[in-house]
Every structure is written in structure tokens, then in C-alpha cells.
Amino acid sequence: MRPFELPDFYVPHPARINPHLEGARTHTKAWARDMGMLDPGLGVWDERLLDAMDYGLMCAYTHPDATAPELDLITDWYVWVFFFDDHFLEIFKRSRDMAGAKEYLGRLPSFMPVRDDGTAVPPEPANPVERGLADLWARTVPGMSADWRVRFAESTANLLNESLWELANIDAGRVANPMEYIEMRRRVGGAPWSANLVEHAVGAEVPARVAGARPLLVLRDAFSDAVHLRNDLFSYQREVEEEGELSNGVLVLERFLGLPTQEAADAVNDLLTSRLHQFENTVVTELPPLFEEHGLDPGERLAVLAYVKGLQDWQSGGHEWHMRSSRYMNDSAEAGSGWVLGGPTGLGTSSAQVRLAAGLLGPGGVRSFTHVPYEPVEPLPHPRIFPSEMRLSPHLDRARRESLEWAELMGFYDPVPQVPGPGLWTADKNAGFDFALCSAAIDPEVSAVELTLSAQWLTWGTYGDDYFPAVFGPVGGRPGDLAGARVCHERLGAFMPLEPGTEAPPDPVNPVERALGDLWARTAPTMPIDDRRSFRAAVESMTESWLWELANHMQNRIPDPVDYMEMRRRTFGSDLTRALTRLSHGLRLPEEVYRSRTFLGLENAAADVAFLVNDIVSYQKEIQFEGELHNCVLVVRSFFDCDVHRAAEIVVDLMESRLRQFEHLAAVELPVLFDDHDLGRADREALEGYVTGMRTWMAAVHLWHDRTRRYDESELTYPPGSGWTLGGLGGPGLPGGSWGRAHPVHSIAGAMRRAVV
């Protein structure tokens, strides 16, 4: 019996099939036999099973324009990766052999030497997985750049090593929360690895200087999430019901939202649809500015566009294959209930019948652009997840006084030429914000000078977060000025010289520049150069994220939920917090520790808990008084098309589940990280202190939101130039009674965004 009916999928591009299919089928069967994958003694595959799964068909769909030799190579790669998955299941997942799995996985990177100077000699392969990887690596990397080899080796290692995460969850009977699942599925699911292979298949590498830019990372991640979520729908019956697998998106939403299986499957399909829209929006709105910003030449631009087309082909072809492979639940898969645009029929054409209604009317489609700003809403109850009392610094009163004096000196209360009326802030409002309180709770042990500096960093970050939308945002009927905002963002780097004293910063032209220059001069000189570089990158990550918010406001677009969560960490100042907190705890760990699943999981979970507290407390301020789009309660409302109370419940549940994940990582996985990287006592103590600091930071954020006046309704006013007045029974009204005349203005919520320890 089927656990649910497959939903009506959104497939925006038709699938095509490679004419070299039969050759790939013949070649890859012979290759699998030569590698030992069909050895009956292994009990994994036989020839009949390999034929039924038909990876040649999959690759012919996902790489329709590849040459015959290239299609053979790509097909061999997918046979290898699927064999690895099934082999790992039989040998290690079923037996729960964690020690054997670690030893098995530990050998595999030696078969992927990044350098081609002949110094790295792989060991003798001991099984079909090692034999296949050694053969494929030698056939794949010649002709590819060192940058691509590093990226491909890393994505391959992630795909292999994170099988341990799945195994650990099965052993503990633990189902991940939604954000943890999305992040980990990218590592273990293989689609980022597939994206690297797309570059090889289309013969066009992404230029190294933009490979790490937000648009390319979002394209890779949106592609990956859509591939994985689609696979979860088709593989639920085999993975969950037959194999006891816990890493499946349908199961994750079943458990997290308490939904019946069919509703959970529909929700997964909605998220898949939203991620496809995120991909399309990024191509249209973010790639052209990227090309100009980095000065890509015509060949480089064509290479990026060939890569994009390759990802689109993979997405549509992967859907077609899932509907045909014996590996998945797919009978009657084409019998959807949504409206279908008529088109060709027959082998290789079902994805040409594009499901328009399901996609265009679903999450990420038209409704994401139709939000009416400044709607009257009620404040939401404050979440209660931390103690209401904390130890505070004895220097709190001094930090309050000195940070307020500093803000006036920097010009935070002066009129802003682009904004009607008085300055963005007043001294009274800033006193009510009370950033020094948050600093005093974060680290009560610091000196008076350090505490004041911390409060001033908080003050600067929040003022800058207010300044960008007020000056550059689409407020009061004026068009937004994204180009001007980008210039402002780029100028800020000049006020953070890596070698203080060697190059004088320009004269500041606004309070944001003036204050940053002052803070940098008092913060950076004592830092080692590497720390200074990391700190500046963290500041720039935050200010650049404000451009993303402005771009969404100019489109009047409620962001995709996954993109929102990941970017909110940056708009919240988590990168800056992370850099400063690492320095304060003396962290000097190997880079692979910082990149590890456990370390990133701790940092991301803590950041999510903090900004979700803010989103709940600031909901009325942002939605009613600021016309904000970047609030998780609103994002959830839009995605699930539900009322505010249900959306708030989901956000609180997510916040609490991220906190539980943080504690699970700290208690269970951090000791394993110590052992895996052979960390000494000093490093272990420093890392434990850092985790304690993150825990204190989350609690301080909670305390500050309870006590600040920043979100009190009595303190709130509509932003200058929004076109709103207070009238009637105290609710908002537009001149002439016309909804939607005023454009949204960016949020000024999130005062505790740049915690400095």
C-alpha cells in the first residue's frame, strides 16, 4: 500500500534525452562488472537490479547534451555513488558498525589526490568502492583547474563522510529538525557533488573568482535542495518503511509539524516548488549584477550560463528518471490533479507537460509578490526559553552613559538628508533601546572599556541596519536605490584598513562611516592580521546582506523560507558575533574544525535561536509599522498560507528544536569532534568555553528582548516617507484609503544583532 499519493510537481523546464543512451547503458554495465560491483558475494547488486535502476537513462536525461565519452564517464560516476550508498547500507547501517564505517570512509580521500604532481600515490583498492573511485578520479580530473578539483574533492568527501551523520541518527532513533535536515542533506545527499559534475559535463567551469559569491552558492543550494526533496518524495516508501531510514524530508515534516504523511508530502513538494522559484529568481535578478560587479568577460559569462542551463537540465531530467526508475515509488506518478499545459507525449516528454498551476500559484510563485505592507497586527507573546534573570556587568551604567554620548558624537541623532523629518533616532529612543544591557549580559567579566566598546558596536550595527533602508529603500513611492546602497557598502571597507596607519581612510560622508572608522581604530590594532582580516570580512558579510533585503523590498517579494533562514544569520550579524567571540575565547583551531558539521551546526543553531526570538518579539513593529518582509512569522504565514497564530507556533517550535539541537551537539558530538581531530587539552577547553559563550549569548538576547523598549507599541511610529498616518481608532491608514501605495521599508528590528564579547 502506498504511504501517500505523489503530488503534482512543478517542472519549469522540459526534459530532453541524450541520443547516446544505449552506448552508456552498455558501457556502464561492463564497467560495474569490472569494478566488482556485481559480485554476488557482496549481496548488494546483481545485473538484473542494475538494469532495472537504469542509471544510463538517468544520466541521459540529466545530461542531454553530453558527448558519448562524457556520458559514459558521468554514468559511471552515478553508478559508483549509488553503489556506495547501497554498499554502506548493507555493511554499516544495518549492523550499526560506527567504528568500521569510520575506518572505511577514512581511506576514501586518498583516492582523490588534488595535486597532479605525482607525489600522492593512492593505496591499493580493497573493495569495489575504492576501485571505482580510483578509476573515476583518474579519468575525470585531467584538464580541470585546481580550484575545481578542490571543490569536487570536498563535495565528494562530504557525500561520503556525512553518511556517519545518518548512521548516528539511526542508532539514536533521532529525526532532525527541518533546518538541520536541509543543511545536512546537502552534505550527504550528493546534489552539490552533482553540480560540480555538471561543470565537467558541459565543459564550462564556473570562474574561481565568483564561485564563492552568493548568487552561485544560492544556485547550487537551491538546485541541491530541490533534487533532494524530490528524491525524498519518491524514495519515502523504500527508505522509511523498508530500510528504517530517518533522513527523509517527508518524515522530518511529519514529526516536526505533527502532520499526516500525505500532508507532510504535500508540504515537502511546496518547499521543492519554492526552491525552484528561488533558483529562477536568482538567475534573473542576481546574476546580471554579479557579472558587472566582477567584470566577467564574455567567455566567463557564457560559462556561468552554460552551468545554469546544465543545472536546469539536471533538475528536469532527474524528475523524469524518478518517474521511471524501479528504485522508487512512481507508478501512476504522472496522474497529477493540477492543471497541465498540453504538450508532446511519449518517452522523454512527460516533463514537457509543465505543471503551471501547481508552481505559479504555490509558495515562491505569484503570492510571494502580493503582500500588502503595514497591515494591522497584534504583538505576539514573548517566548520563554531562558531564565529571566542573568548576572550583569557592574560597569553597565557607565557603558550606558558613554555609548549614548558616543552615538550623539557620531551624528546618530542628526537629520538624514534623504529622509523627511528629524533624525532616524533620538537620544530618548536610543536610551530605551539599551544596547549596553545586552552587552552586560553577554559577558559580565569584561572591563568597563571593553563593555562600552561592545555596546557601541551594537549601537553602530543597528543604526546602520536602520540607515540603509531609510536612505536607499523604496519608501514613500520613491524607487529604491540598490546601486547607491552597494556603493555605500563598498565604501565601508576603506574604514577598516588591514594595516592601520599605512593608508588613511577617506573623509566620512555619513554617521555609519564615521562611527565604523572610530570603532575600527579602537578595536583592530591589537588583533593579529589574520584575525583582523576575518573580522573585516564578518562586518562586510553583514552590510552586504542588507543589500539582499533591499532587493527583496524592491520586488515586494517575501523570501523563500530556506534562503530567509540562511541570510537572516547574516542580517542578524551572526558572522560578526562569531568572529569576535572566537577571538575572545582564544580559538586558534585547525581550519577543518571550523568547517566540520559539528562546529557549523553549533554556530548556526545558536544564530537561529537568537534571531527567531527577535522575529517573534518584533513582529508587530516590523509588519505593522515598518512594512517589513523579513520576519520568519510572515515567511511561514506566506509559505503555509496559514494564520499568524499557527505561523508563530511553528516559529517557536523551530526555535526550541534548534536549541535542543545545540545541546545535543554540545553533549554528544563535541566530544567526538575532540577525538576525531586529536585536539589537545587547551584547545578543548577553549572550544568548550566558546560553546558556553554561545549559550550565554542566546540567553542574553532573550533577556534583552524582554527588557528593551524597542518593541513597545507606545514607542512605535510609521517611518518618515511611508505615507502612513495614525488615525481613526488608532490603526493605520493611507491618504485616500488606498492600500499598497507605500512600499515596504526595511526592518529596524533586531537590536541585539552584533554581540561583542
Side-chain angles (χ1 to χ4, degrees):
M1 180 178 176
R2 296 165 66 94
F4 57 83
E5 292 301 316
L6 287 168
D8 190 19
F9 293 92
Y10 173 51
V11 187
H13 303 282
R16 298 175 296 119
I17 196 162
N18 193 299
H20 306 297
L21 165 61
E22 291 304 326
R25 280 172 167 160
T26 301
H27 164 86
T28 205
K29 184 190 296 187
W31 180 82
R33 185 180 296 109
D34 290 344
M35 295 299 108
M37 296 175 183
L38 304 183
D39 183 348
L42 293 175
V44 180
W45 283 1
D46 57 26
E47 186 172 322
R48 179 197 59 79
L49 182 60
L50 179 61
D51 288 342
M53 291 184 292
D54 205 350
Y55 297 116
L57 181 65
M58 171 191 171
C59 295
Y61 274 132
T62 54
H63 301 279
D65 298 321
T67 64
E70 184 70 22
L71 185 63
D72 290 347
L73 174 63
I74 295 295
T75 305
D76 290 348
W77 267 114
Y78 280 94
V79 167
W80 174 81
V81 81
F82 278 100
F83 178 83
F84 163 81
D85 192 50
D86 290 351
H87 184 255
F88 193 85
L89 168 69
E90 291 295 330
I91 305 302
F92 301 110
K93 282 186 179 180
R94 295 196 191 282
S95 66
R96 310 290 195 268
D97 181 6
M98 181 69 77
K102 285 185 176 181
E103 181 180 357
Y104 170 81
L105 294 172
R107 282 174 50 89
L108 295 180
S110 62
F111 296 96
M112 298 183 289
V114 173
R115 299 179 181 273
D116 58 358
D117 55 8
T119 58
V121 180
E124 187 68 25
N127 56 59
V129 172
E130 294 181 353
R131 194 173 301 113
L133 181 56
D135 177 78
L136 289 167
W137 192 261
R139 293 162 56 198
T140 303
V141 298
M144 302 301 287
S145 70
D147 176 75
W148 184 89
R149 295 181 188 191
V150 169
R151 287 190 282 117
F152 187 56
E154 181 179 4
S155 63
T156 306
N158 286 340
L159 180 148
L160 301 172
N161 292 335
E162 298 310 332
S163 298
L164 293 174
W165 175 76
E166 293 184 319
L167 181 56
N169 280 346
I170 292 172
D171 194 47
R174 179 176 178 271
V175 177
N177 64 68
M179 275 309 299
E180 177 189 10
Y181 177 74
I182 288 289
E183 291 169 346
M184 288 309 305
R185 190 75 161 90
R186 288 176 189 165
R187 296 171 75 98
V188 75
W193 173 85
S194 296
N196 290 148
L197 272 182
V198 164
E199 294 179 71
H200 194 285
V202 301
E205 284 191 40
V206 172
R209 56 199 172 110
V210 297
R214 170 188 148 81
L216 272 300
L217 296 179
V218 170
L219 289 176
R220 180 202 66 191
D221 291 344
F223 162 81
S224 300
D225 295 345
V227 168
H228 295 150
L229 292 167
R230 177 182 292 106
N231 178 265
D232 286 350
L233 287 162
F234 281 97
S235 64
Y236 177 91
Q237 188 171 39
R238 178 176 61 85
E239 290 183 343
V240 176
E241 295 187 349
E242 298 174 12
E243 298 176 0
E245 180 63 75
L246 300 180
S247 300
N248 182 286
V250 179
L251 180 65
V252 167
L253 292 190
E254 274 187 273
R255 299 286 181 88
F256 179 75
L257 297 173
L259 295 176
T261 306
Q262 182 67 59
E263 293 181 26
D266 292 339
V268 167
N269 187 52
D270 283 343
L271 187 55
L272 161 59
T273 299
S274 183
R275 297 306 280 153
L276 290 173
H277 281 297
Q278 176 67 53
F279 184 97
E280 296 158 0
N281 186 269
T282 303
V283 171
V284 174
T285 66
E286 298 191 45
L287 280 187
L290 180 78
F291 291 166
E292 298 304 321
E293 178 186 353
H294 290 271
L296 267 60
D297 62 39
E300 292 173 319
R301 298 180 188 211
L302 288 174
V304 173
L305 294 176
Y307 170 67
V308 169
K309 179 179 177 295
L311 295 179
Q312 291 170 332
D313 285 337
W314 206 111
Q315 198 75 244
S316 298
H319 178 81
E320 187 77 20
W321 177 71
H322 273 83
M323 292 196 296
R324 299 182 183 279
S325 174
S326 67
R327 189 176 178 90
Y328 302 111
M329 180 184 81
N330 56 14
D331 51 314
S332 304
E334 296 182 54
S337 59
W339 174 58
V340 178
L341 180 67
T345 60
L347 182 64
T349 62
S350 62
S351 288
Q353 302 175 29
V354 182
R355 278 83 170 162
L356 291 181
L360 297 181
L361 300 181
V366 173
R367 80 180 190 217
S368 295
F369 297 86
T370 58
H371 176 69
V372 178
Y374 304 104
E375 63 173 311
V377 297
E378 295 294 325
L380 297 173
H382 287 209
R384 301 293 174 194
I385 59 173
F386 289 101
S388 59
E389 298 295 331
M390 294 182 65
R391 189 162 63 94
L392 302 178
S393 167
H395 309 299
L396 172 56
D397 288 340
R398 174 179 168 179
R400 281 170 168 157
R401 183 181 66 255
E402 293 183 352
S403 60
L404 288 173
E405 293 170 352
W406 175 83
E408 183 173 15
L409 184 65
M410 294 298 105
F412 286 4
Y413 312 142
D414 296 343
V416 177
Q418 299 91 333
V419 180
L424 294 177
W425 287 5
T426 66
D428 287 342
K429 283 188 176 292
N430 192 14
F433 298 160
D434 202 1
F435 301 120
L437 172 65
C438 196
S439 295
I442 289 171
D443 197 338
E445 302 293 339
V446 297
S447 69
V449 172
E450 291 172 313
L451 186 68
T452 297
L453 186 62
S454 167
Q456 290 169 349
W457 271 109
L458 294 177
T459 304
W460 172 80
T462 309
Y463 181 85
D465 198 21
D466 290 359
Y467 180 90
F468 264 67
V471 173
F472 304 111
V475 184
R478 76 180 185 210
D481 182 11
L482 191 57
R486 183 168 293 280
V487 170
C488 184
H489 155 70
E490 291 173 350
R491 274 180 56 88
L492 294 179
F495 295 90
M496 298 181 287
L498 292 178
E499 297 289 349
T502 60
E503 186 174 345
D507 292 333
V509 298
N510 57 56
V512 177
E513 294 181 350
R514 186 179 304 114
L516 178 60
D518 177 76
L519 289 170
W520 186 263
R522 291 187 287 130
T523 304
T526 59
M527 294 180 175
I529 183 63
D530 289 343
D531 294 343
R532 208 175 300 149
R533 187 176 290 110
S534 297
F535 184 38
R536 184 169 87 167
V539 175
E540 291 175 331
S541 171
M542 179 180 66
T543 60
E544 184 183 45
S545 72
W546 298 341
L547 306 181
W548 169 80
E549 292 182 313
L550 287 174
N552 282 333
H553 275 295
M554 292 171 69
Q555 299 179 63
N556 193 41
R557 175 178 177 264
I558 296 176
D560 162 82
V562 176
D563 196 40
Y564 173 78
M565 293 289 292
E566 294 176 333
M567 286 301 295
R568 186 72 167 93
R569 296 168 190 156
R570 294 175 59 182
T571 67
F572 195 73
S574 298
D575 288 345
L576 179 56
T577 300
R578 179 177 305 145
L580 289 169
T581 306
R582 286 183 188 178
L583 298 178
S584 71
H585 285 277
L587 286 188
R588 296 291 187 276
L589 302 175
E591 189 60 33
E592 58 266 23
V593 173
Y594 294 130
R595 294 199 306 265
S596 69
R597 168 176 53 82
T598 301
F599 192 88
L600 293 175
L602 286 164
E603 291 191 323
N604 290 342
D608 293 356
V609 169
F611 77 66
L612 289 173
V613 169
N614 177 265
D615 282 5
I616 294 167
V617 175
S618 68
Y619 179 73
Q620 183 188 38
K621 179 180 188 290
E622 294 188 331
I623 303 307
Q624 179 171 331
F625 290 91
E626 298 175 2
E628 184 54 82
L629 300 174
H630 302 94
N631 183 289
C632 196
V633 179
L634 179 65
V635 171
V636 170
R637 274 179 54 195
S638 174
F639 178 79
F640 286 106
D641 197 19
C642 63
D643 64 37
V644 63
H645 300 293
R646 177 57 180 148
E649 288 176 356
I650 293 172
V651 173
V652 171
D653 287 347
L654 181 58
M655 178 180 61
E656 292 176 344
S657 69
R658 292 297 266 170
L659 182 57
R660 287 193 299 271
Q661 181 192 346
F662 179 92
E663 297 299 348
H664 169 81
L665 289 167
V668 177
E669 298 195 25
L670 194 60
V672 177
L673 179 72
F674 292 160
D675 293 339
D676 286 347
H677 294 276
D678 196 23
L679 297 182
R681 179 178 177 181
D683 285 340
R684 294 182 184 220
E685 290 178 352
L687 189 46
E688 287 173 341
Y690 179 58
V691 171
T692 299
M694 285 193 284
R695 190 179 287 114
T696 302
W697 175 67
M698 289 186 284
V701 170
H702 186 274
L703 173 75
W704 181 83
H705 279 86
D706 269 348
R707 297 190 183 181
T708 182
R709 297 203 311 267
R710 190 167 174 83
Y711 308 106
D712 294 350
E713 188 170 3
S714 61
E715 299 283 324
L716 303 179
T717 58
Y718 292 102
S722 67
W724 281 90
T725 59
L726 290 176
L729 298 176
L734 272 173
S738 172
W739 282 91
R741 183 178 302 171
H743 291 278
V745 67
H746 167 57
S747 166
I748 55 174
M752 179 36 228
R753 296 195 178 184
R754 293 92 190 145
V756 182
V757 179

